[in-house]
Amino acid sequence: MSTALPPLPDVVRDEPALEALLSRPSAADVAFAKTLTGDVVVLGAGGKMGPSLARRVRRSCDAAGVKRRVLAVARFSETGLAEALAREGVEPIACDLLDPVQVARLPKAENVLFLAGRKFGSSGRPDLTWAQNVVVPSIVAPHFAASRIVVFSSGNVYPLVAPGAAGSTEETPPDPVGEYAQTCVGRERVFEHSSRERGTACLFFRLFYAVDLRYGT
């Protein structure tokens, strides 16, 4: 089976078409879904990437012919999002991840995609940024200690480099600039501690966001 991505269309005419494209599983997604054991929880499923990713996981499992629950956890402040996900076979669960009582009620799952975090508006509420990016992991990590967790992090943990220099690599030590970047390192360190102390399997997935058609860039 080929693992190449399907060809992109020449034109993406509107946001529904973009969402359909972003949530369309590749052959590699489907092949991996066939090997996956256990259900999947997407934490922070109400943000920029969360809905698309939850749908993509659901569609990958369906295409693979495997029965897996896909649960989307968020506050769901966007009207209609929870209902839209439910119609597509994703189970929405409303939860404030800063509340330990609510987190304790979340179903356990073998696979966790951790997307929860605060980026936009960080400079206006640095206290909330620290709470969302560092305190939330300290609440979530013990609850899902037996899970395999992919932690969505940020390339902002790396130091700045000169414009003409080569970029950072995974071997470059973190040297965060500014409070947002510092909280990203904090998030990683909390999950790292859980991995070392509880044996939780964690992978840090550091991303840079450059373009997104929904932003007109």
Side-chain angles (χ1 to χ4, degrees), residues 9 15 17 48 50 58 61 78 119 127 159 169 182 203:
E15 190 165 344
K48 184 177 87 169
R58 174 73 277 158
C61 293
E78 179 183 335
K119 178 179 180 181
D127 59 311
T169 70
Q182 292 164 10
L203 181 144

Side-chain angles (χ1 to χ4, degrees), residues 41 43 53 111-117 132-133 136-137 140-141 144 147-155 157 183-195 200-207 209:
V41 171
L43 298 176
L53 183 58
N111 309 288
V112 175
L113 298 170
F114 184 85
L115 280 71
Q132 293 286 353
N133 293 353
V136 164
V140 165
F144 291 102
S147 302
R148 297 178 296 193
I149 306 177
V150 175
V151 179
F152 280 59
S153 188
S154 170
V157 302
T183 66
C184 293
V185 174
R187 171 172 50 212
E188 292 188 5
R189 293 296 186 238
V190 170
F191 278 108
E192 180 183 358
H193 178 266
S194 182
S195 181
T200 306
C202 288
L203 181 144
F204 299 143
F205 188 42
R206 293 169 174 167
L207 299 173
Y209 302 116

Side-chain angles (χ1 to χ4, degrees), residues 14-15 17 21-22 27 34 50 54 68-69 84 87-88 111 134 159 171 180 188 199 213:
D14 51 30
E15 190 165 344
L21 181 64
L22 293 173
K34 291 180 179 180
R68 299 283 180 263
R69 295 176 70 193
R87 287 193 296 269
E88 299 182 56
N111 309 288
V134 182
E171 286 70 41
Y180 166 69
E188 292 188 5
L213 292 178

